[in-house]
Amino acid sequence: MSDLAHYRNIGIFAHVDAGKTTTTERILKLTGKIHKTGEVHDGESTTDFMEQEAERGITIQSAATTCFWRDHRMNIIDTPGHVDFTVEVYRSLKVLDGGVGVFCGSGGVEPQSETNWRYANESEVARVIFVNKLDRMGADFYRVVKQVKDVLGANPLVMALPIGIEDDFVGIVDVLEKKAYVWDDTGLPENFEITDVPADMVDKVEEYHEQLVETALEQDDDLLMAYMEGEEPTIEQVKHCIREGTRKLDFFPTYCGSAFKNKGVQNVLDAVVDYLPSPTEVDAQELTDPQTGEPTGEVAKVDVNEPFRALAFKIMDDRFGALTFIRVYSGTLNKGDTILNSATGKTERIGRMVEMHADDRTELNSAQAGDIIAIVGMKNVQTGHTLCDPKHECTLEPMIFPDPVISIAVAPKDKGSTEKMGIAIGKMVAEDPSFQVETDEDSGETILKGMGELHLDIKVDILKRTYGVELVVGQPQVAYRETITQAVEDSYTHKKQSGGSGQFGKIDYRIRPGEPNSGYVFNSIVVGGNVPKEFFPAIEKGFKGMMAEGVLAGFPVLDVEVELYDGGFHAVDSSAVAFEIAAKGAFRQSIPKAGPQLIEPIMKVDVFTPDDHVGDVIGDLNRRRGMIKDQEAGVTGVRVKADVPLSEMFGYIGHLRTMTSGRGQFSMEFSHYMPCPANVSEKVIEEVKARKAAK
């Protein structure tokens, strides 16, 4: 058994292209896990092992790997940076205790870094920051530190300063110990010497050293008082305070270097060991009531002597079969044990357990609290399910995933592949909860739904290459919704009397627009027994069932509040079914009177463009009905932030590249729903009618 204090479960996350995967490669090389580093741009990195990843030079799914540094065991998850795959980042953060946020020295804090940082804040994950690529043109460490403060609202605690910049970047100064680390030209990570601080940096290092010590000592009043009275703390005392402040998210130790040139990565590894928490130092996961989803007040204590509790956070299918990645929160798990899946109520026997190193694996006989491992061949387990000791049933706080905003219709090229496609898509849906599939009942088409064009592109590519299913892909469709704009007070009576027992249910109700993003809210203020309480759930169910299909074009209805205020019942003929039918009839009767309206998904779009094309980019976004929110000038160009309807953003990357001679980049994520303009609304409703008529 390993000592839990020597465990570090960390994730490496950042914007696409900031150098996460390269940083992970260097960590593996330094810790002796691999002997030759593979480069992302050659398609040879260890953790990007999918063909689609090697080809595009981006990370799509988080890869897990384990290595050792200074007698500490590190479970590292390299996460994707691209916005369409944030679900991977989100679910990885959920099971990690600490993280390394990588920022590009010239790109700085980019849109995706903001999203990932926000997720990490929500998951309360302690982080150290690594400002990478300081050897690149336009790199500026101090500017990135300022952006971390201004854009992320975070407090970077500067632990290292760069010596030289761009082509002259040779090493770093450790601000706490006031030592310089200078690497030679061989490019080998171990070829550095520790020297005195360069003469021209002495004053700057002194200034940063003072800031560092003062900020750190705020964690310990006694040490701070002594320091104010002129007593210097020891390095160990300062380190202890930094660890404390990092754990509480008061500040984030900030390092710098160039992973590609092998400079500065050791210092980040030391920081992970020195300052990021072990599994026992983070707040324990709350247990929730499986029925209500509310916290029970109990927690999964990280302790090997507690009952077994683990969370399945990722499912992956590879050449060895289905892998379920789990994070063990408490207790131990041995090969051959029987465990309970509290979400399905079924038990399973554990066959093979493995420790992953990207797509290689080492067989294990047991795992314990704090471990991140994979189990081979589990049945019916989905992302977010809790696995526990059958004698101590419990549910860990579940994961919440965003709804898809874009869909495409697909069909196999040859009819014989239909079953093959069904099986493959089933596996892919289990792996990625933000990817959904449904069958259009009218047309029998298969509809794939996802977070963006790239997301669905890659899914189609995986179907073709991994599963050998060629698809015919239809036009992308936007996930429109419907809502109402006016309040209506109405009454509806359902009665049917024809021999035998009849049906009777009368409801008096108000339907009104709800708060944005509230979905569907039902409440009852009936006093007296005009509608007996036992029928309320049936009425609520009747209305809710109808929300799936609006009256304008059959899109789901959002943000509606239904209030039951009176009604009537019959002692013999009233039943739950009668009231449910009444609620359905009431929906059909009243929604058309309530000013129904089509609403469309609005995306938060972040465009980077060289200075000389800003006008074109803004003009183009305005033509796409975009609302420009902000412009920010950087060293190499301008970032334009805007809210734009998703329907106007199809194929945008091609237009942007044409406008900016290939230099523009953009990312977008779902923001909120907004009413469609009348002309767009009419067009969408016409298209839906035409599609239905064609079937």
Side-chain angles (χ1 to χ4, degrees):
M1 290 286 171
S2 319
D3 175 6
L4 281 175
H6 284 222
Y7 268 58
R8 295 289 180 274
N9 289 320
I10 61 165
I12 295 185
F13 51 87
H15 184 80
V16 66
D17 249 8
K20 293 178 303 303
T21 303
T22 307
T23 305
T24 308
E25 284 290 303
R26 296 307 182 262
I27 288 173
L28 297 178
K29 173 77 167 66
L30 279 167
T31 54
K33 193 77 189 189
I34 54 175
H35 300 294
K36 167 189 173 290
T37 49
E39 299 308 342
V40 176
H41 49 242
D42 298 335
E44 284 180 359
S45 65
T46 311
T47 52
D48 282 356
F49 51 81
M50 288 169 62
E51 283 177 33
Q52 289 82 357
E53 294 179 308
E55 200 169 278
R56 295 169 194 239
I58 60 172
T59 303
I60 294 170
Q61 50 182 29
S62 359
T65 183
T66 303
C67 58
F68 291 84
W69 182 255
R70 283 177 32 197
D71 293 333
H72 284 64
R73 175 197 175 102
M74 291 187 190
N75 294 319
I76 299 176
I77 295 188
D78 171 29
T79 61
H82 202 287
V83 66
D84 286 3
F85 310 105
T86 32
V87 57
E88 289 281 349
V89 180
Y90 168 74
R91 62 167 160 207
S92 302
L93 281 167
K94 179 91 183 145
V95 297
L96 296 168
D97 307 321
V100 179
V102 182
F103 296 104
C104 170
S106 59
V109 176
E110 293 168 286
Q112 198 49 40
S113 342
E114 288 179 56
T115 308
N116 291 345
W117 196 263
R118 194 176 69 240
Y119 281 157
N121 285 342
E122 285 166 11
S123 303
E124 295 182 1
V125 171
R127 280 146 280 169
V128 298
I129 291 173
F130 178 50
V131 180
N132 188 21
K133 301 196 175 183
L134 286 184
D135 55 321
R136 284 193 35 181
M137 284 292 291
D140 181 343
F141 174 70
Y142 302 98
R143 188 184 81 248
V144 180
V145 168
K146 185 174 182 312
Q147 281 185 329
V148 169
K149 283 185 194 152
D150 300 346
V151 179
L152 302 178
N155 184 8
L157 183 70
V158 176
M159 304 290 295
L161 296 176
I163 304 171
I165 202 77
E166 296 182 1
D167 289 346
D168 303 326
F169 174 66
V170 292
I172 61 168
V173 173
D174 179 327
V175 174
L176 178 58
E177 305 201 358
K178 298 191 207 170
K179 288 178 186 160
Y181 289 71
V182 180
W183 278 264
D184 64 16
D185 295 336
T186 58
L188 292 170
E190 49 278 5
N191 286 10
F192 64 89
E193 53 176 341
I194 299 176
T195 62
D196 292 336
V197 175
D200 59 348
M201 287 183 72
V202 170
D203 293 347
K204 188 166 239 176
V205 170
E206 206 45 63
E207 176 197 334
Y208 274 90
H209 177 81
E210 208 165 293
Q211 279 176 18
L212 188 158
V213 173
E214 278 177 21
T215 307
L217 295 188
E218 282 168 9
Q219 300 293 324
D220 186 322
D221 293 346
D222 297 345
L223 285 176
L224 189 60
M225 290 304 292
Y227 180 67
M228 293 300 184
E229 286 159 17
E231 193 181 314
E232 278 290 319
T234 65
I235 297 270
E236 284 315 310
Q237 286 170 326
V238 178
K239 280 187 165 179
H240 177 75
C241 291
I242 296 173
R243 185 179 181 86
E244 200 50 30
T246 305
R247 192 175 65 80
K248 291 191 204 150
L249 310 190
D250 288 348
F251 46 70
F252 303 94
T254 299
Y255 292 81
C256 59
S258 160
F260 183 54
K261 296 279 171 65
N262 283 314
K263 293 172 183 163
V265 179
Q266 287 97 325
N267 310 68
V268 176
L269 282 171
D270 286 340
V272 168
V273 168
D274 290 340
Y275 307 128
L276 289 182
S278 73
T280 52
E281 292 170 309
V282 292
D283 293 340
Q285 282 280 338
E286 288 192 338
L287 299 179
T288 55
D289 182 307
Q291 261 69 50
T292 63
E294 295 298 312
T296 58
E298 285 184 78
V299 294
K301 193 166 161 231
V302 179
D303 184 344
V304 289
N305 301 315
E306 289 272 307
F308 171 73
R309 298 183 181 112
L311 185 72
F313 69 94
K314 179 178 167 63
I315 287 157
M316 199 170 104
D317 213 65
D318 74 355
R319 60 183 190 271
F320 301 101
L323 289 174
T324 304
F325 282 85
I326 66 166
R327 159 77 197 259
V328 184
Y329 282 106
S330 52
T332 53
L333 179 65
N334 296 307
K335 206 169 160 173
D337 282 359
T338 297
I339 57 170
L340 173 72
N341 176 344
S342 66
T344 60
K346 294 192 166 73
T347 54
E348 283 200 49
R349 193 162 169 278
I350 299 296
R352 291 171 57 209
M353 300 193 296
V354 292
E355 178 182 290
M356 294 299 289
H357 172 53
D359 61 345
D360 289 336
R361 64 212 35 223
T362 314
E363 294 276 340
L364 298 172
N365 289 320
S366 70
Q368 63 167 32
D371 277 339
I372 290 180
I373 62 154
I375 301 175
V376 183
M378 292 195 86
K379 308 269 187 299
N380 306 323
V381 177
Q382 288 176 3
T383 300
H385 281 180
T386 300
L387 306 175
C388 57
D389 181 334
K391 294 192 195 68
H392 299 90
E393 185 175 346
C394 71
T395 303
L396 288 155
E397 191 184 6
M399 302 181 181
I400 299 149
F401 296 107
D403 286 332
V405 292
I406 177 172
S407 61
I408 51 173
V410 297
K413 266 193 179 150
D414 52 274
K415 289 285 173 270
S417 301
T418 308
E419 190 182 341
K420 201 164 149 193
M421 176 181 86
I423 294 167
I425 289 178
K427 287 181 178 175
M428 288 161 66
V429 169
E431 287 178 14
D432 178 355
S434 65
F435 173 58
Q436 294 175 9
V437 64
E438 61 182 46
T439 307
D440 185 316
E441 284 165 16
D442 301 335
S443 67
E445 285 179 322
T446 301
I447 312 284
L448 305 185
K449 299 179 167 190
M451 303 309 296
E453 279 184 285
L454 178 68
H455 191 197
L456 293 179
D457 258 1
I458 290 202
K459 296 297 178 199
V460 170
D461 200 34
I462 292 173
L463 277 165
K464 179 176 156 186
R465 286 207 230 171
T466 312
Y467 297 104
V469 180
E470 290 267 358
L471 294 178
V472 180
V473 180
Q475 283 297 310
Q477 301 293 330
V478 177
Y480 289 101
R481 296 285 181 263
E482 297 181 21
T483 189
I484 55 171
T485 55
Q486 294 155 21
V488 171
E489 192 166 304
D490 217 338
S491 173
Y492 188 88
T493 306
H494 168 67
K495 67 173 179 215
K496 181 175 165 224
Q497 271 135 348
S498 56
S501 63
Q503 289 180 356
F504 181 85
K506 174 175 187 285
I507 52 175
D508 297 338
Y509 54 91
R510 299 181 185 97
I511 290 182
R512 52 176 165 255
E515 292 290 312
N517 301 321
S518 61
Y520 158 65
V521 177
F522 175 85
N523 59 46
S524 163
I525 53 168
V526 176
V527 282
N530 288 354
V531 178
K533 272 202 174 62
E534 67 258 32
F535 297 137
F536 292 174
I539 297 169
E540 179 176 359
K541 184 180 165 201
F543 276 113
K544 190 172 187 176
M546 297 297 282
M547 294 288 165
E549 209 169 293
V551 295
L552 290 174
F555 292 111
V557 183
L558 288 185
D559 306 340
V560 171
E561 205 177 296
V562 177
E563 184 177 77
L564 179 70
Y565 69 88
D566 205 355
F569 79 109
H570 186 283
V572 178
D573 291 349
S574 284
S575 64
V577 172
F579 274 103
E580 190 180 325
I581 294 170
K584 288 178 171 174
F587 177 93
R588 281 192 291 267
Q589 169 181 295
S590 303
I591 292 287
K593 303 178 192 170
Q597 182 180 44
L598 215 55
I599 50 179
E600 61 183 344
I602 304 294
M603 308 302 277
K604 194 167 116 191
V605 177
D606 203 317
V607 186
F608 171 82
T609 166
D611 292 340
D612 37 356
H613 298 293
V614 178
D616 300 342
V617 166
I618 290 178
D620 182 61
L621 288 172
N622 284 330
R623 275 194 298 282
R624 293 171 187 272
R625 300 192 284 124
M627 288 271 295
I628 308 296
K629 294 285 196 196
D630 192 19
Q631 289 182 58
E632 198 180 289
V635 176
T636 51
V638 176
R639 275 175 59 188
V640 179
K641 296 186 177 188
D643 285 351
V644 191
L646 173 65
S647 59
E648 304 288 344
M649 290 299 291
F650 291 135
Y652 179 63
I653 188 69
H655 287 283
L656 179 64
R657 285 187 179 141
T658 311
M659 272 187 302
T660 59
S661 322
R663 289 156 63 206
Q665 287 178 328
F666 89 106
S667 75
M668 66 176 183
E669 61 178 315
F670 170 70
S671 174
H672 57 280
Y673 276 95
M674 281 284 286
C676 285
N679 59 336
V680 175
S681 216
E682 283 161 20
K683 194 170 151 213
V684 172
I685 293 168
E686 283 307 311
E687 280 173 7
V688 171
K689 280 186 182 152
R691 270 211 305 276
K692 285 189 172 160
K695 289 164 187 174

